[in-house]
Amino acid sequence: MNNRLLQKFSALIHRQQFASDLDEEMAFHREQKQRELVAAGMNAEEARYAAMREFGNSALLRERSQETVEFRFETAWQDVRYALRQLRKNAGFSTIAIVILALGIGASTAIFSAVNPILFQPLPYPHSSRIMTIFEKMGGGSRLPSFGTFHGLQEGNHSFEALAVMKAWQPAMSGAGEPQQIDGQRVSADYFRVLGVVPALGRDFQASDDVYRGPNVVILSDRLWRRRFHANPAIVGSKINLDDNSSQLTAGGNVYTVLGVMPAGFENVLSPTAQLWAPLQYNPALPPNSREWGHHLVMIGRLRAGVSRAQAASDLDVVLHTLATIYAKGFNEAGGAPQGANVVSLHDDVVSDVKPALLAVLGAVVLVLLIACVNVANLLLARGAQRRSEFAMRAALGASPRRIIRQLLTESVLLAIIGGTIGLIVAEAGVRALIALSPAGLPRVDAIRIDGAVFAFAFAIAALVGIAVGLTPALQAGRSDPNSSLQSSAASRMTAGGQTMRRSLVVSEVALALVLLVSAGLLLRSLNRLFAIDPGFDASHLLTMQVQESGSRYASDSARAQFFDRALEAVRHLPGVTAAALTSQLPLSGDSDTYGMTFEDFPNDQGEPAFRYAVSPDYFGTMRIPLRRGRFLNENDRAGAPMAVLISESLARRMFPNVDPIGQRVRVGPMALEPDKPWATIVGVVGNVKQLSLGLNEPDAFYTTNTQWAWVDNVQSLVVRTRGNAAALAPSVRSAIWSIDKDEPIVRVATMNNLVAGTEAQRRFTLDLFAVFAIVGLVLAITGIYGVLSGSVTERTREIGVRAALGASRGDIVGLIVRQGMTLTGLGIAIGLLGAAAATQALLAMLFGISRLDPVTYAAVIVLLASVSLIACSIPAWRAARVDPAITLRAE
């Protein structure tokens, strides 16, 4: 063994000497063989030829001898160098193949970089599989828990190490720079303990922080600490000003003490935009008509080691059954006691909304990659047909089929690796585009990047693609007959089997492209159906923005009402403004504010909670919401006057199917279950308005004036109808509001048209990706058809010349080639229709108003694919029609 290794090292170091010695040794063997044959009676000339036949193929003998003493990487390096020379020699072919592979590998890598952290990687917390989201079971579905539920489960469960709840919080920060509304969370004390994360600076919340009317304390995100406080390490213990209009309940007012700063890499998947956290500080006494019983909290928990999700759910069911008795009044006034608990993995809960779209996009990019592979395989088959003489010559010189196959696989893998390397650049651009186009609800956007896992994925895909696209051409080359290959003409080097293979690959390209086109078409038709839905108002020429009052001077309802009235009046007087109004929540903006209702004539039928809109009287005229019956709210519906209520058409139809709702009496919101509170009167019925999404059948709604509601909201949305471009008036509107009070944050500035479009951002995001992939797939498929027909015309030049010489017209020849191409297209369409019918099952969750077998979509895609295929067929067909039979036959 040691001698063999030394021999290999010697041959590696003294390569030229080894080759010279090998030539001398082979010459010696030829002379010896010749002497033996002469001694056996053969004449000298015959003996020389016999010795040459046995030892004359010096190239083969040298190769076999070198294989015994060379390291394996030496022969592999030879293959690589030869492959590089071939790629450089055929620069056009190499460039096309590399570009196709770069697009396919780059697109798949970009999508993998998004899908991997969202769907496949665990959440970025210690033992994240043990973190659960907990919902209340109610009426066969789930609802968010109340603080009463949380408080009872926290005390009585045995399955969780810790439980926590959170809700959104948007305080206004002032003092350091201009006032700014900050996204944050109000959380219970164990929130970060459940996630398994501790602050990088300072300390976590303690139980003493999360008490009713407790201290004003806050924890900052690393991003906010760096952006707003310049990464000052002395921030811990310092005071900052935050106003959310609830701080008057505490002794600290608007002043908060900074307890800590979260780590730089902390991902808050429950609220990715949150930049600061404060204790929830709810009242454990649980007054039954208070916020503590509202179903608006997200509850999470960390399972104890060894406890399964099913065990935890059973444990919570038992606790909830007991709580239903202890807190009967609170549960009943909050919509009824829960029927049990739904325990869901936090990861599954976070990705549930986006999972169908991401899996569909992943499937689409796999199809694109397959089309790219098929296209390159077709190019390699065509290239292999042109190189049959080369392979035959190498075989005649002694190269084994195995060596030829290895050489071709080396070339294809090298192509794929180069394509994969360039594909990483494509992937980087794709990742940036994905982040820029990603819908607002896409979780873990900050985790989308080209990292080590993505890098490994790209090169693994490149290697697999290289083997896949090179295997068929390599096997064909390895099985070819050297004699027939050397004797055949250049025009007839593609065997019948090779032609069949290339045509089969083209059929598969067309089929895969059709699946992508049908998917994109279905999504496009769905979006068109969605945007054709009447949202219940006129979105054109509407500018919207959210205004939040802040500061102790607005602690009273009257002060808040005065500020909003003055700001609204200032906006109304702006040039270009035709109408303006305020509302507590804005349709299709992400707001979701619901309250219960009690009807005088139906005291036992509380129904589902309805959307609550506290609006200025001219809101309906500004939004152009139609009046169905009765009257609109007006200036007489003010504080102190009998409360007037408008209800939506759907609510009127459900509660008063055979009765005029005008004049009926109701109690709404906090007064809904208070028998000593005065009744409100229904004065009108207005059209239904889409609040959450165009595609949902929205729950019922009621409207009051903002001064007749139980309180004046400190955050209100302004809607402004303009004569011209609504967005252009945004700076003027902001200035008008700041002319009343320059310290008030103004956020979420957008036109209503943009808000309407934003509600379907996930569908549009998926459609955009499918559209890009479908166009790429279509181009590659048509390129494949053109390439096969163009090669076929070259191979059949003699046949075409003979046909022309025998009287075939140009039209006959064009028809012959076009029929060949359209036959391939037809087969691909037939197979693709079956594939699309199966594959579009994955799109069901994203379709609206159409079937996945929508005939209009399928017909349009078939016409499109057939049309572009016809164009691709026509070009080589006309080239075939111009073949001169005399020149062709003379050449043969």
Side-chain angles (χ1 to χ4, degrees), residues 784-837:
I785 292 174
Y786 171 80
V788 165
L789 292 183
S790 183
S792 177
V793 168
T794 301
E795 295 155 13
R796 299 172 65 186
T797 301
R798 181 178 181 278
E799 173 197 337
I800 293 170
V802 171
R803 286 176 180 271
L806 294 176
S809 66
R810 287 192 172 187
D812 293 334
I813 295 172
V814 168
L816 175 70
I817 302 302
V818 169
R819 279 195 301 275
Q820 178 185 345
M822 294 308 292
T823 298
L824 298 178
T825 300
L827 288 172
I829 288 174
I831 297 171
L833 288 174
L834 297 175

Side-chain angles (χ1 to χ4, degrees), residues 160-173:
F160 289 89
E161 290 181 1
L163 288 175
V165 287
M166 52 79 54
K167 69 170 186 176
W169 180 45
Q170 288 187 314
M173 180 179 289

Side-chain angles (χ1 to χ4, degrees), residues 381-532:
L381 280 171
R383 176 73 184 137
Q386 298 171 1
R387 297 175 65 187
R388 286 189 68 205
S389 294
E390 172 197 337
F391 302 146
M393 183 64 71
R394 293 186 66 181
L397 292 174
S400 65
R402 180 179 176 184
R403 183 62 188 272
I404 294 175
I405 291 173
R406 189 176 71 183
Q407 176 62 51
L408 289 179
L409 283 176
T410 301
E411 292 180 17
S412 62
V413 170
L414 187 62
L415 266 178
I417 290 176
I418 296 173
T421 303
I422 299 174
L424 281 174
I425 301 174
V426 176
E428 181 64 35
V431 165
R432 292 179 183 177
L434 282 173
I435 294 173
L437 296 173
S438 61
L442 191 67
R444 303 205 64 194
V445 173
D446 291 341
I448 300 176
R449 63 177 68 90
I450 302 293
D451 55 15
V454 173
F455 190 82
F457 171 84
F459 277 90
I461 286 292
L464 291 173
V465 165
I467 295 171
V469 301
L471 194 58
T472 299
L475 291 176
Q476 278 201 350
R479 290 198 302 264
S480 63
D481 181 9
N483 292 326
S484 62
S485 297
L486 287 170
Q487 294 169 6
S488 64
S489 66
S492 61
R493 283 176 185 160
M494 176 58 79
T495 63
Q499 292 175 351
T500 302
M501 177 61 70
R502 291 189 66 193
R503 291 170 184 170
S504 299
L505 292 176
V506 167
V507 168
S508 66
E509 282 187 274
V510 173
L512 294 171
L514 184 135
V515 173
L516 285 172
L517 287 167
V518 166
S519 300
L522 290 174
L523 290 171
L524 178 60
R525 293 256 296 155
S526 291
L527 270 181
N528 288 338
R529 289 287 181 91
L530 276 167
F531 289 127

Side-chain angles (χ1 to χ4, degrees), residues 208-498:
S208 58
D209 299 318
D210 188 21
V211 295
Y212 184 53
R213 297 195 176 185
N216 281 353
V217 291
V218 68
I219 293 176
L220 309 179
S221 72
D222 178 83
R223 182 170 51 186
L224 179 64
W225 174 54
R226 294 181 185 279
R227 176 174 59 84
R228 191 84 180 189
F229 302 101
H230 311 293
N232 180 8
I235 190 67
V236 176
S238 63
K239 311 291 185 181
I240 62 174
N241 292 322
L242 296 173
D243 181 26
D244 68 341
N245 205 45
S246 64
S247 55
Q248 70 255 24
L249 299 176
T250 69
N254 299 333
V255 179
Y256 283 69
T257 301
V258 177
L259 292 184
V261 177
M262 296 304 293
F266 171 59
E267 284 186 53
N268 188 35
V269 298
L270 286 159
S271 181
T273 60
Q275 299 184 64
L276 73 173
W277 297 267
L280 193 65
Q281 296 183 344
Y282 273 13
N283 184 4
L286 307 177
N289 62 344
S290 69
R291 62 181 179 174
E292 280 78 4
W293 286 103
H295 295 283
H296 58 278
L297 298 175
V298 176
M299 188 189 306
I300 58 174
R302 177 175 286 273
L303 288 173
R304 297 184 187 277
V307 176
S308 69
R309 187 164 57 88
Q311 289 171 330
S314 298
D315 178 26
L316 297 186
D317 287 348
V318 173
V319 179
L320 281 173
H321 180 72
T322 305
L323 293 179
T325 303
I326 298 174
Y327 299 130
K329 183 173 177 60
F331 276 124
N332 290 336
E333 296 196 7
Q339 299 158 0
N342 277 333
V343 180
V344 181
S345 159
L346 177 60
H347 181 273
D348 291 345
D349 181 47
V350 167
V351 305
S352 60
D353 289 340
V354 300
K355 187 174 183 178
L358 289 179
L359 288 178
V361 169
L362 184 61
V365 81
V366 168
L367 293 181
V368 171
L369 184 60
L370 286 174
I371 294 174
C373 292
V374 169
N375 210 287
V376 174
N378 235 331
L379 290 173
L380 290 173
L381 280 171
R383 176 73 184 137
Q386 298 171 1
R387 297 175 65 187
R388 286 189 68 205
S389 294
E390 172 197 337
F391 302 146
M393 183 64 71
R394 293 186 66 181
L397 292 174
S400 65
R402 180 179 176 184
R403 183 62 188 272
I404 294 175
I405 291 173
R406 189 176 71 183
Q407 176 62 51
L408 289 179
L409 283 176
T410 301
E411 292 180 17
S412 62
V413 170
L414 187 62
L415 266 178
I417 290 176
I418 296 173
T421 303
I422 299 174
L424 281 174
I425 301 174
V426 176
E428 181 64 35
V431 165
R432 292 179 183 177
L434 282 173
I435 294 173
L437 296 173
S438 61
L442 191 67
R444 303 205 64 194
V445 173
D446 291 341
I448 300 176
R449 63 177 68 90
I450 302 293
D451 55 15
V454 173
F455 190 82
F457 171 84
F459 277 90
I461 286 292
L464 291 173
V465 165
I467 295 171
V469 301
L471 194 58
T472 299
L475 291 176
Q476 278 201 350
R479 290 198 302 264
S480 63
D481 181 9
N483 292 326
S484 62
S485 297
L486 287 170
Q487 294 169 6
S488 64
S489 66
S492 61
R493 283 176 185 160
M494 176 58 79
T495 63

